[in-house]
C-alpha cells in the first residue's frame, strides 16, 4: 500500500535550542503551521509558549509557538527539521524511523557525516541545510539571531525536484534558504569554518568577532584551514584556503559579540559538538594516510573536548577553568 504523502502545510522542528526557536518564530510569523518538538521522550503534554527573537537591527520578533515532546507523536506528517546537536543523531534515527513515514527530513546541523545514521536507517528523504546564521539563547524564551547569508539546502537522499518545495516551505524574510544542487563543497567549507570557531573560541573564551579583530587568532585559523582544505582536496572536494578564510571572516564580522554554540554549551554544562568537526576531519585524514597533515586541527579538538569534560566534572557553581 502506498503511504500517504506528507502534509506540506506542517513543519515539525525537533530541537528547542537557539536555532530551533528562532526558526519556529519566523515560520509562524510567515503564516506556516509549526510545532517545536523537544527531543526528550520522558515528558508529556504540549503547551503554547511565547518566544521572542532579537533579529537584525535589534528588531524584536515574537510569536506564540506550540511546544511538544517527541513521545506525543506516533507519526510526524509534515516536513521534519532537525535542529539538535549532531551527537544525538544515532538515538534520534532510532526514535524517528517509525514516526516519519515518507516525510522529508532536513538536517540543520554542523559537521561532516551528520546524515550517516539516517541514511543507514533507510530514511526515504534526507536533506542538508548549511546554516549561515548565528543564534544565541539570552533566556528561556528569548534568543538573539544574526543572519550572515542565505542558507543553502541540498539533497543527501531524495528527489531534486522536491527540493524547491522544501525551500519554499522553510524560507522567510528573516531566515532565508535557497536550493543548492552541489551541496558537498559547501558542507565541507562550513565544516572547516566550524572547526576553527568551535575550538578556538571556546578555548580562548572569545566571541565570534575574534578573527577579524585579532591577527594572531586569524593566523591560527589560517593554519587550521590549510590543514583541513588539504584533506578536502584529497577527498575530491575542490575548495581552497582563500575562499574558506573569506567565509570565516564574513561570519566573524557579522556575528561580532555573539558566542559560538560550543562555548555556550560549555558554559551551560552541556556536551559539545566536536566529533563531527575536528575529530571527523582527523578520521578522514587518517583513512587517507594524511594523519600528519591535521595535527593542529586534532589538538584543538582534543583540548576543546577535554575542557568540556573538565567543566562537566566541576562543582555546579563553577563553569570556567
Amino acid at each position: 500500500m502506498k503511504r500517504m504523502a506528507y502534509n506540506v502545510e506542517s513543519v515539525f522542528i525537533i530541537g528547542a535550542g537557539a536555532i530551533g526557536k528562532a526558526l519556529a518564530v519566523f515560520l509562524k510569523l510567515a503564516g506556516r503551521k509549526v510545532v517545536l518538538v523537544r527531543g526528550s521522550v520522558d515528558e508529556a503534554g504540549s503547551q503554547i509558549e511565547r518566544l521572542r527573537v532579537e533579529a537584525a537591527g535589534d528588531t524584536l520578533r515574537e510569536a506564540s509557538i506550540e511546544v511538544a515532546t517527541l513521545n506525543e507523536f506516533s507519526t510526524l506528517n509534515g516536513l521534519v527539521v532537525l535542529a539538535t546537536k549532531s551527537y544525538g543523531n544515532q538515538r534520534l534515527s532510532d526514535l524517528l524511523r517509525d514516526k516519519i513515514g515518507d516525510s522529508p527530513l532536513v538536517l540543520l546541523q554542523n559537521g561532516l557525516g551528520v546524515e550517516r545514521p539516517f541514511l543507514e536507517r533507510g530514511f526515504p528523504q534526507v536533506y542538508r541545510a548549511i546554516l549561515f546564521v548565528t543564534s544565541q539563547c539570552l533566556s528561556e524564551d528569548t534568543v538573539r539571531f544574526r543572519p550572515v547569508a542565505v542558507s543553502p539546502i541540498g539533497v543527501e537522499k531524495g528527489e531534486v525536484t522536491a527540493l524547491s518545495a522544501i525551500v519554499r516551505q522553510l524560507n522567510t524574510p528573516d531566515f532565508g534558504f535557497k536550493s543548492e544542487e552541489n551541496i558537498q563543497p559547501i558542507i565541507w567549507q562550513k565544516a572547516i569554518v566550524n572547526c576553527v570557531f568551535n575550538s578556538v573560541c571556546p578555548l580562548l573564551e572569545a566571541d565570534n568577532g575574534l578573527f577579524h579583530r585579532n591577527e594572531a587568532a586569524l593566523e591560527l585559523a589560517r593554519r587550521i584551514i590549510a590543514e583541513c582544505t588539504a584533506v578536502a582536496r584529497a577527498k575530491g572536494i575542490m575548495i581552497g584556503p582563500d575562499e574558506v578564510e573569506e567565509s570565516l571572516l564574513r561570519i566573524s564580522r557579522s556575528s561580532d559579540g555573539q558566542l559560538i554554540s560550543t562555548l555556550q554549551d560549555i558554559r551551560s554544562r552541556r556536551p559539545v559538538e566536536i566529533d563531527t568537526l575536528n575529530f571527523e576531519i582527523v578520521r578522514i585524514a587518517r583513512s587517507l594516510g594524511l594523519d600528519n597533515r591535521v595535527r593542529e586541527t586534532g589538538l584543538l579538538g582534543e583540548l576543546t573536548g577535554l575542557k568540556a569534560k573538565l567543566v562537566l566534572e566541576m562543582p555546579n557553581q563553577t563553569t570556567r577553568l
Side-chain angles (χ1 to χ4, degrees):
M1 183 187 305
K2 186 177 180 179
R3 292 184 177 183
M4 183 182 299
Y6 82 94
N7 182 356
V8 296
E9 296 180 356
S10 299
V11 181
F12 297 93
I13 302 172
I14 300 176
I19 291 292
K21 287 177 178 176
L23 181 59
V25 168
F26 295 143
L27 288 174
K28 184 65 178 292
L29 293 176
R32 318 287 160 73
K33 182 180 179 181
V34 59
V35 180
L36 189 59
V37 183
R38 300 188 190 280
S40 58
V41 296
D42 55 351
E43 299 177 11
S46 62
Q47 58 188 357
I48 302 298
E49 296 185 12
R50 191 71 176 174
L51 300 180
R52 299 169 179 81
V53 181
E54 289 186 7
D58 295 325
T59 303
L60 186 65
R61 302 272 196 269
E62 55 184 304
S64 295
I65 304 296
E66 180 183 354
V67 181
T69 50
L70 193 55
N71 62 321
E72 294 180 62
F73 300 94
S74 58
T75 60
L76 295 170
N77 186 19
L79 180 61
V80 181
V81 177
L82 204 57
T84 56
K85 299 294 185 180
S86 60
Y87 52 72
N89 283 4
Q90 191 64 59
R91 166 182 167 271
L92 280 172
S93 70
D94 294 334
L95 292 173
L96 290 174
R97 184 61 192 96
D98 293 333
K99 297 177 185 287
I100 204 168
D102 288 338
S103 296
L105 176 69
V106 180
L107 307 181
L108 271 60
Q109 296 177 324
N110 293 322
L112 298 171
V114 301
E115 69 286 342
R116 193 178 302 126
F118 304 99
L119 297 178
E120 291 174 348
R121 289 283 281 137
F123 280 64
Q125 298 188 72
V126 181
Y127 300 84
R128 280 290 306 268
I130 308 304
L131 298 183
F132 289 103
V133 302
T134 62
S135 194
Q136 178 179 341
C137 286
L138 302 179
S139 66
E140 279 295 312
D141 61 2
T142 304
V143 301
R144 180 190 294 127
F145 177 87
R146 295 291 182 268
V148 177
V150 175
S151 297
I153 304 178
V155 180
E156 290 287 353
K157 178 184 178 183
E159 298 295 331
V160 174
T161 53
L163 185 57
S164 58
I166 291 170
V167 169
R168 284 196 302 272
Q169 199 170 357
L170 291 179
N171 187 49
T172 67
D174 294 287
F175 198 153
F177 291 92
K178 65 179 181 180
S179 300
E180 177 55 60
E181 291 188 9
N182 187 19
I183 196 69
Q184 290 304 316
I186 303 175
I187 289 174
W188 272 83
Q189 179 176 303
K190 183 66 188 314
I192 294 169
V193 166
N194 281 113
C195 284
V196 176
F197 276 109
N198 291 61
S199 60
V200 176
C201 291
L203 290 171
L204 296 181
E205 293 280 338
D207 67 89
N208 292 354
L210 172 69
F211 301 103
H212 84 88
R213 298 190 309 254
N214 187 286
E215 185 61 33
L218 179 58
E219 180 54 38
L220 174 59
R222 285 173 177 146
R223 297 202 301 272
I224 304 306
I225 290 169
E227 289 187 351
C228 294
T229 52
V231 176
R233 290 194 297 275
K235 283 285 289 184
I237 307 296
M238 295 298 109
I239 54 176
D242 290 345
E243 60 186 301
V244 178
E245 181 180 329
E246 181 182 345
S247 179
L248 176 116
L249 287 172
R250 184 168 65 249
I251 294 170
S252 182
R253 293 187 188 99
S254 63
S255 59
D256 202 355
Q258 290 271 90
L259 300 183
I260 197 68
S261 59
T262 299
L263 181 51
Q264 296 178 52
D265 289 337
I266 290 174
R267 290 185 176 180
S268 298
R269 308 174 69 86
R270 295 189 295 259
V272 297
E273 194 175 42
I274 204 73
D275 286 352
T276 54
L277 295 172
N278 299 58
F279 292 160
E280 183 67 8
I281 293 283
V282 171
R283 187 196 68 78
I284 293 170
R286 186 176 298 119
S287 73
L288 297 169
L290 299 175
D291 305 50
N292 63 336
R293 298 292 298 273
V294 289
R295 289 177 177 172
E296 289 191 84
T297 301
L299 177 59
L300 288 175
E302 289 178 16
L303 290 172
T304 303
L306 178 59
K307 178 175 181 176
K309 183 176 184 292
L310 292 175
V311 168
L312 283 172
E313 293 172 352
M314 285 178 176
N316 288 336
Q317 65 269 24
T318 306
T319 58
R320 302 190 191 183
L321 295 178

